[in-house]
Amino acid sequence: EGSSLSSIPDSAAPWKPFHRLALQYAEGNPDRLDIRNTGVVFLGRCPDPDGVAQGILQSLLLDSEEPLPLRQSALEALQRINASALPTVLAESWTDLPASVRTNAFSFLAGRAERIGPLLDRIESGSVDRKLVSVGQAESLRDHKDASTRERATKLFPPPEKGVPRATVVERYQAALKLKGDSERGKAAFIKGT
């Protein structure tokens, strides 16, 4: 009981009871999303010198069985506690994250060149499909304040051709109109993305 909390320095001692309660709330009753979310938010605001909260928050973020709002809150809490491994964790899990979580994660990663690096590495290696980065996100990387990030992004996401006649563009996509759809795959993709 409380062994992980015993390593919190004395300056953080006043937080121990709240930290313990927040951990219980975050991992608590699956039917009480409001209480679990409160625990997650609080974990992002209190000292976590031993990394217990970080581990729990990462588990909540990456667990596809957890409700989307809780996963979003876990991402925000991890950003707040400045989890140093978060950029790598996000890059490694990119294909498994719901689209809305990826959107928020991208905003966090793109904020600093050292944070976006692991995702760009994974895209360059082919382990993350470049299509999982939106046109707007690719554009923001091509305009990034860091020259190295701009250069990498321009290679990975070349800017669209300018001056190409509309008819030429439409012609390029005509073959896609003849493809046969698969409603079950579409449904699965939709569910995964929400």
Side-chain angles (χ1 to χ4, degrees):
E1 160 69 22
S3 62
S4 65
L5 296 175
S6 63
S7 64
I8 295 178
D10 289 339
S11 62
W15 290 94
K16 283 184 181 183
F18 301 109
H19 193 269
R20 182 178 295 117
L21 189 59
L23 288 168
Q24 290 171 354
Y25 280 6
E27 295 182 299
N29 184 343
D31 297 327
R32 294 300 312 266
L33 180 60
D34 56 335
I35 290 176
R36 292 184 72 206
N37 198 53
T38 299
V40 166
V41 169
F42 190 79
L43 288 174
R45 290 189 159 92
C46 66
D48 184 37
D50 59 356
V52 172
Q54 183 174 332
I56 289 170
L57 292 169
Q58 264 183 226
S59 295
L60 293 173
L61 170 65
L62 301 177
D63 185 348
S64 63
E65 300 296 315
E66 292 292 355
L68 187 57
L70 194 65
R71 294 177 78 184
Q72 291 281 20
S73 292
L75 173 61
E76 291 167 14
L78 284 163
Q79 291 170 3
R80 191 171 287 113
I81 64 174
N82 200 20
S84 60
L86 185 57
T88 302
V89 168
L90 291 172
E92 290 173 352
S93 309
W94 199 255
T95 57
D96 298 323
L97 295 173
S100 60
V101 173
R102 278 197 312 263
T103 298
N104 290 346
F106 180 85
S107 295
F108 167 72
L109 294 174
R112 291 197 168 165
E114 65 271 13
R115 292 195 303 226
I116 196 67
L119 180 59
L120 294 178
D121 293 343
R122 308 261 316 162
I123 294 169
E124 286 171 342
S125 74
S127 58
V128 170
D129 189 338
R130 70 185 73 230
K131 293 175 187 165
L132 292 177
V133 174
S134 75
V135 172
Q137 291 169 338
E139 185 176 332
S140 73
L141 290 175
R142 287 192 307 266
D143 294 336
H144 201 274
K145 62 185 174 186
D146 177 68
S148 173
T149 301
R150 280 195 311 270
E151 184 179 315
R152 290 177 78 186
T154 301
K155 287 179 185 173
L156 288 170
F157 311 105
E161 300 174 43
K162 294 190 184 214
V164 177
R166 181 171 173 73
T168 303
V169 175
V170 170
E171 187 177 314
R172 286 182 191 163
Y173 293 98
Q174 285 300 315
L177 295 174
K178 296 176 180 139
L179 295 173
K180 183 167 172 39
D182 182 340
S183 61
E184 288 304 311
R185 284 183 59 203
K187 180 179 177 182
F190 176 81
I191 290 170
K192 182 179 179 183
T194 57

mmCIF file of all heavy atoms in Angstrom, residues 61-93:
data_model
loop_
_atom_site.group_PDB
_atom_site.id
_atom_site.type_symbol
_atom_site.label_atom_id
_atom_site.label_comp_id
_atom_site.label_asym_id
_atom_site.label_seq_id
_atom_site.Cartn_x
_atom_site.Cartn_y
_atom_site.Cartn_z
ATOM 1 N N LEU A 61 -4.227 5.777 -22.679
ATOM 2 C CA LEU A 61 -4.141 6.364 -24.016
ATOM 3 C C LEU A 61 -4.116 5.291 -25.091
ATOM 4 O O LEU A 61 -4.772 5.410 -26.122
ATOM 5 C CB LEU A 61 -2.886 7.241 -24.120
ATOM 6 C CG LEU A 61 -2.511 7.736 -25.517
ATOM 7 C CD1 LEU A 61 -3.568 8.689 -26.066
ATOM 8 C CD2 LEU A 61 -1.149 8.412 -25.486
ATOM 9 N N LEU A 62 -3.367 4.225 -24.860
ATOM 10 C CA LEU A 62 -3.129 3.222 -25.899
ATOM 11 C C LEU A 62 -4.143 2.085 -25.914
ATOM 12 O O LEU A 62 -4.166 1.299 -26.860
ATOM 13 C CB LEU A 62 -1.718 2.662 -25.749
ATOM 14 C CG LEU A 62 -0.594 3.697 -25.846
ATOM 15 C CD1 LEU A 62 0.752 3.041 -25.608
ATOM 16 C CD2 LEU A 62 -0.633 4.433 -27.170
ATOM 17 N N ASP A 63 -4.990 1.992 -24.893
ATOM 18 C CA ASP A 63 -5.958 0.894 -24.809
ATOM 19 C C ASP A 63 -7.179 1.195 -25.677
ATOM 20 O O ASP A 63 -7.984 2.064 -25.359
ATOM 21 C CB ASP A 63 -6.377 0.691 -23.353
ATOM 22 C CG ASP A 63 -7.280 -0.515 -23.164
ATOM 23 O OD1 ASP A 63 -7.790 -1.078 -24.163
ATOM 24 O OD2 ASP A 63 -7.498 -0.907 -22.004
ATOM 25 N N SER A 64 -7.319 0.469 -26.762
ATOM 26 C CA SER A 64 -8.424 0.719 -27.698
ATOM 27 C C SER A 64 -9.798 0.435 -27.092
ATOM 28 O O SER A 64 -10.816 0.861 -27.636
ATOM 29 C CB SER A 64 -8.244 -0.114 -28.972
ATOM 30 O OG SER A 64 -8.283 -1.496 -28.660
ATOM 31 N N GLU A 65 -9.822 -0.258 -25.960
ATOM 32 C CA GLU A 65 -11.098 -0.542 -25.290
ATOM 33 C C GLU A 65 -11.568 0.624 -24.425
ATOM 34 O O GLU A 65 -12.722 0.664 -24.001
ATOM 35 C CB GLU A 65 -10.974 -1.803 -24.426
ATOM 36 C CG GLU A 65 -10.605 -3.056 -25.197
ATOM 37 C CD GLU A 65 -11.665 -3.459 -26.208
ATOM 38 O OE1 GLU A 65 -12.859 -3.454 -25.862
ATOM 39 O OE2 GLU A 65 -11.292 -3.754 -27.362
ATOM 40 N N GLU A 66 -10.681 1.548 -24.147
ATOM 41 C CA GLU A 66 -11.052 2.701 -23.314
ATOM 42 C C GLU A 66 -11.866 3.700 -24.135
ATOM 43 O O GLU A 66 -11.640 3.852 -25.335
ATOM 44 C CB GLU A 66 -9.805 3.399 -22.751
ATOM 45 C CG GLU A 66 -9.038 2.591 -21.732
ATOM 46 C CD GLU A 66 -9.782 2.380 -20.421
ATOM 47 O OE1 GLU A 66 -10.879 2.943 -20.225
ATOM 48 O OE2 GLU A 66 -9.259 1.638 -19.575
ATOM 49 N N PRO A 67 -12.801 4.399 -23.488
ATOM 50 C CA PRO A 67 -13.613 5.391 -24.210
ATOM 51 C C PRO A 67 -12.734 6.525 -24.761
ATOM 52 O O PRO A 67 -11.741 6.923 -24.136
ATOM 53 C CB PRO A 67 -14.574 5.925 -23.143
ATOM 54 C CG PRO A 67 -14.500 4.979 -22.003
ATOM 55 C CD PRO A 67 -13.176 4.274 -22.084
ATOM 56 N N LEU A 68 -13.112 7.017 -25.916
ATOM 57 C CA LEU A 68 -12.345 8.059 -26.589
ATOM 58 C C LEU A 68 -12.114 9.291 -25.716
ATOM 59 O O LEU A 68 -10.986 9.787 -25.666
ATOM 60 C CB LEU A 68 -13.036 8.440 -27.905
ATOM 61 C CG LEU A 68 -12.290 9.401 -28.810
ATOM 62 C CD1 LEU A 68 -10.910 8.884 -29.170
ATOM 63 C CD2 LEU A 68 -13.100 9.651 -30.064
ATOM 64 N N PRO A 69 -13.123 9.804 -24.991
ATOM 65 C CA PRO A 69 -12.862 10.984 -24.150
ATOM 66 C C PRO A 69 -11.785 10.735 -23.092
ATOM 67 O O PRO A 69 -10.993 11.631 -22.785
ATOM 68 C CB PRO A 69 -14.207 11.284 -23.486
ATOM 69 C CG PRO A 69 -15.222 10.639 -24.367
ATOM 70 C CD PRO A 69 -14.540 9.435 -24.958
ATOM 71 N N LEU A 70 -11.735 9.533 -22.559
ATOM 72 C CA LEU A 70 -10.718 9.205 -21.551
ATOM 73 C C LEU A 70 -9.331 9.144 -22.202
ATOM 74 O O LEU A 70 -8.347 9.608 -21.631
ATOM 75 C CB LEU A 70 -11.051 7.879 -20.865
ATOM 76 C CG LEU A 70 -10.287 7.582 -19.590
ATOM 77 C CD1 LEU A 70 -10.633 8.595 -18.503
ATOM 78 C CD2 LEU A 70 -10.597 6.183 -19.102
ATOM 79 N N ARG A 71 -9.275 8.604 -23.406
ATOM 80 C CA ARG A 71 -8.001 8.544 -24.124
ATOM 81 C C ARG A 71 -7.499 9.958 -24.446
ATOM 82 O O ARG A 71 -6.319 10.239 -24.338
ATOM 83 C CB ARG A 71 -8.155 7.711 -25.396
ATOM 84 C CG ARG A 71 -8.460 6.240 -25.095
ATOM 85 C CD ARG A 71 -8.685 5.430 -26.325
ATOM 86 N NE ARG A 71 -7.402 5.099 -26.947
ATOM 87 C CZ ARG A 71 -7.296 4.449 -28.099
ATOM 88 N NH1 ARG A 71 -8.378 4.064 -28.750
ATOM 89 N NH2 ARG A 71 -6.105 4.185 -28.600
ATOM 90 N N GLN A 72 -8.417 10.836 -24.832
ATOM 91 C CA GLN A 72 -8.046 12.229 -25.108
ATOM 92 C C GLN A 72 -7.503 12.890 -23.838
ATOM 93 O O GLN A 72 -6.493 13.592 -23.873
ATOM 94 C CB GLN A 72 -9.254 13.030 -25.628
ATOM 95 C CG GLN A 72 -9.716 12.645 -26.993
ATOM 96 C CD GLN A 72 -8.857 13.222 -28.109
ATOM 97 O OE1 GLN A 72 -7.721 13.617 -27.925
ATOM 98 N NE2 GLN A 72 -9.421 13.260 -29.299
ATOM 99 N N SER A 73 -8.197 12.673 -22.726
ATOM 100 C CA SER A 73 -7.760 13.259 -21.455
ATOM 101 C C SER A 73 -6.395 12.717 -21.040
ATOM 102 O O SER A 73 -5.565 13.454 -20.501
ATOM 103 C CB SER A 73 -8.782 12.983 -20.352
ATOM 104 O OG SER A 73 -9.966 13.689 -20.599
ATOM 105 N N ALA A 74 -6.169 11.430 -21.288
ATOM 106 C CA ALA A 74 -4.870 10.835 -20.950
ATOM 107 C C ALA A 74 -3.763 11.482 -21.780
ATOM 108 O O ALA A 74 -2.685 11.788 -21.257
ATOM 109 C CB ALA A 74 -4.909 9.321 -21.179
ATOM 110 N N LEU A 75 -4.030 11.738 -23.056
ATOM 111 C CA LEU A 75 -3.036 12.407 -23.901
ATOM 112 C C LEU A 75 -2.743 13.806 -23.365
ATOM 113 O O LEU A 75 -1.577 14.194 -23.234
ATOM 114 C CB LEU A 75 -3.535 12.490 -25.347
ATOM 115 C CG LEU A 75 -2.661 13.307 -26.303
ATOM 116 C CD1 LEU A 75 -1.256 12.719 -26.410
ATOM 117 C CD2 LEU A 75 -3.330 13.391 -27.672
ATOM 118 N N GLU A 76 -3.779 14.539 -23.023
ATOM 119 C CA GLU A 76 -3.582 15.901 -22.491
ATOM 120 C C GLU A 76 -2.810 15.875 -21.174
ATOM 121 O O GLU A 76 -1.934 16.716 -20.942
ATOM 122 C CB GLU A 76 -4.934 16.583 -22.313
ATOM 123 C CG GLU A 76 -5.613 16.893 -23.638
ATOM 124 C CD GLU A 76 -7.074 17.276 -23.490
ATOM 125 O OE1 GLU A 76 -7.527 17.571 -22.354
ATOM 126 O OE2 GLU A 76 -7.780 17.270 -24.515
ATOM 127 N N ALA A 77 -3.109 14.906 -20.325
ATOM 128 C CA ALA A 77 -2.395 14.802 -19.046
ATOM 129 C C ALA A 77 -0.923 14.465 -19.274
ATOM 130 O O ALA A 77 -0.040 15.029 -18.622
ATOM 131 C CB ALA A 77 -3.060 13.747 -18.160
ATOM 132 N N LEU A 78 -0.656 13.563 -20.201
ATOM 133 C CA LEU A 78 0.737 13.213 -20.508
ATOM 134 C C LEU A 78 1.493 14.418 -21.069
ATOM 135 O O LEU A 78 2.664 14.625 -20.753
ATOM 136 C CB LEU A 78 0.790 12.050 -21.502
ATOM 137 C CG LEU A 78 0.485 10.678 -20.907
ATOM 138 C CD1 LEU A 78 0.161 9.671 -21.997
ATOM 139 C CD2 LEU A 78 1.639 10.195 -20.055
ATOM 140 N N GLN A 79 0.831 15.211 -21.870
ATOM 141 C CA GLN A 79 1.463 16.422 -22.392
ATOM 142 C C GLN A 79 1.790 17.377 -21.253
ATOM 143 O O GLN A 79 2.856 17.983 -21.220
ATOM 144 C CB GLN A 79 0.546 17.110 -23.401
ATOM 145 C CG GLN A 79 0.364 16.343 -24.679
ATOM 146 C CD GLN A 79 -0.738 16.931 -25.553
ATOM 147 O OE1 GLN A 79 -1.341 17.943 -25.241
ATOM 148 N NE2 GLN A 79 -1.008 16.266 -26.660
ATOM 149 N N ARG A 80 0.869 17.493 -20.302
ATOM 150 C CA ARG A 80 1.038 18.425 -19.192
ATOM 151 C C ARG A 80 2.184 18.015 -18.279
ATOM 152 O O ARG A 80 2.927 18.860 -17.799
ATOM 153 C CB ARG A 80 -0.268 18.520 -18.405
ATOM 154 C CG ARG A 80 -0.276 19.650 -17.399
ATOM 155 C CD ARG A 80 -1.648 19.874 -16.790
ATOM 156 N NE ARG A 80 -2.542 20.495 -17.752
ATOM 157 C CZ ARG A 80 -3.622 19.897 -18.281
ATOM 158 N NH1 ARG A 80 -3.934 18.675 -17.935
ATOM 159 N NH2 ARG A 80 -4.370 20.512 -19.151
ATOM 160 N N ILE A 81 2.337 16.714 -18.033
ATOM 161 C CA ILE A 81 3.417 16.286 -17.139
ATOM 162 C C ILE A 81 4.736 16.162 -17.894
ATOM 163 O O ILE A 81 5.747 15.791 -17.322
ATOM 164 C CB ILE A 81 3.099 14.972 -16.381
ATOM 165 C CG1 ILE A 81 2.943 13.787 -17.339
ATOM 166 C CG2 ILE A 81 1.905 15.132 -15.496
ATOM 167 C CD1 ILE A 81 2.776 12.450 -16.628
ATOM 168 N N ASN A 82 4.691 16.481 -19.188
ATOM 169 C CA ASN A 82 5.897 16.514 -20.008
ATOM 170 C C ASN A 82 6.612 15.164 -19.992
ATOM 171 O O ASN A 82 7.802 15.082 -19.715
ATOM 172 C CB ASN A 82 6.833 17.635 -19.551
ATOM 173 C CG ASN A 82 7.822 18.002 -20.631
ATOM 174 O OD1 ASN A 82 7.606 17.708 -21.794
ATOM 175 N ND2 ASN A 82 8.908 18.638 -20.230
ATOM 176 N N ALA A 83 5.864 14.122 -20.300
ATOM 177 C CA ALA A 83 6.419 12.777 -20.354
ATOM 178 C C ALA A 83 7.452 12.702 -21.482
ATOM 179 O O ALA A 83 7.111 12.848 -22.644
ATOM 180 C CB ALA A 83 5.300 11.758 -20.574
ATOM 181 N N SER A 84 8.701 12.506 -21.135
ATOM 182 C CA SER A 84 9.781 12.574 -22.120
ATOM 183 C C SER A 84 9.678 11.502 -23.200
ATOM 184 O O SER A 84 10.117 11.710 -24.325
ATOM 185 C CB SER A 84 11.134 12.484 -21.426
ATOM 186 O OG SER A 84 11.237 11.263 -20.726
ATOM 187 N N ALA A 85 9.109 10.365 -22.877
ATOM 188 C CA ALA A 85 8.992 9.285 -23.855
ATOM 189 C C ALA A 85 7.758 9.437 -24.745
ATOM 190 O O ALA A 85 7.586 8.657 -25.682
ATOM 191 C CB ALA A 85 8.952 7.944 -23.140
ATOM 192 N N LEU A 86 6.910 10.418 -24.469
ATOM 193 C CA LEU A 86 5.639 10.532 -25.186
ATOM 194 C C LEU A 86 5.794 10.640 -26.702
ATOM 195 O O LEU A 86 5.069 9.949 -27.428
ATOM 196 C CB LEU A 86 4.817 11.699 -24.630
ATOM 197 C CG LEU A 86 3.409 11.852 -25.209
ATOM 198 C CD1 LEU A 86 2.580 10.582 -25.022
ATOM 199 C CD2 LEU A 86 2.701 13.041 -24.550
ATOM 200 N N PRO A 87 6.698 11.453 -27.243
ATOM 201 C CA PRO A 87 6.806 11.509 -28.707
ATOM 202 C C PRO A 87 7.091 10.143 -29.345
ATOM 203 O O PRO A 87 6.490 9.792 -30.364
ATOM 204 C CB PRO A 87 7.962 12.480 -28.941
ATOM 205 C CG PRO A 87 7.937 13.373 -27.741
ATOM 206 C CD PRO A 87 7.560 12.454 -26.607
ATOM 207 N N THR A 88 7.950 9.361 -28.722
ATOM 208 C CA THR A 88 8.260 8.032 -29.256
ATOM 209 C C THR A 88 7.068 7.103 -29.106
ATOM 210 O O THR A 88 6.729 6.359 -30.035
ATOM 211 C CB THR A 88 9.503 7.449 -28.544
ATOM 212 O OG1 THR A 88 10.586 8.356 -28.742
ATOM 213 C CG2 THR A 88 9.862 6.083 -29.077
ATOM 214 N N VAL A 89 6.398 7.154 -27.961
ATOM 215 C CA VAL A 89 5.216 6.314 -27.729
ATOM 216 C C VAL A 89 4.136 6.637 -28.765
ATOM 217 O O VAL A 89 3.531 5.731 -29.354
ATOM 218 C CB VAL A 89 4.667 6.515 -26.292
ATOM 219 C CG1 VAL A 89 3.290 5.897 -26.129
ATOM 220 C CG2 VAL A 89 5.641 5.940 -25.270
ATOM 221 N N LEU A 90 3.901 7.913 -29.008
ATOM 222 C CA LEU A 90 2.887 8.313 -29.992
ATOM 223 C C LEU A 90 3.269 7.848 -31.393
ATOM 224 O O LEU A 90 2.422 7.324 -32.129
ATOM 225 C CB LEU A 90 2.690 9.827 -29.968
ATOM 226 C CG LEU A 90 2.021 10.389 -28.711
ATOM 227 C CD1 LEU A 90 2.066 11.912 -28.720
ATOM 228 C CD2 LEU A 90 0.589 9.883 -28.589
ATOM 229 N N ALA A 91 4.536 8.025 -31.765
ATOM 230 C CA ALA A 91 4.982 7.617 -33.101
ATOM 231 C C ALA A 91 4.838 6.106 -33.288
ATOM 232 O O ALA A 91 4.375 5.648 -34.337
ATOM 233 C CB ALA A 91 6.426 8.049 -33.329
ATOM 234 N N GLU A 92 5.206 5.344 -32.267
ATOM 235 C CA GLU A 92 5.117 3.880 -32.356
ATOM 236 C C GLU A 92 3.678 3.387 -32.403
ATOM 237 O O GLU A 92 3.405 2.317 -32.932
ATOM 238 C CB GLU A 92 5.856 3.235 -31.182
ATOM 239 C CG GLU A 92 7.357 3.393 -31.264
ATOM 240 C CD GLU A 92 8.089 2.916 -30.020
ATOM 241 O OE1 GLU A 92 7.436 2.588 -29.001
ATOM 242 O OE2 GLU A 92 9.336 2.886 -30.062
ATOM 243 N N SER A 93 2.749 4.159 -31.852
ATOM 244 C CA SER A 93 1.346 3.752 -31.770
ATOM 245 C C SER A 93 0.472 4.472 -32.795
ATOM 246 O O SER A 93 -0.748 4.332 -32.761
ATOM 247 C CB SER A 93 0.813 4.056 -30.368
ATOM 248 O OG SER A 93 1.671 3.533 -29.400
#
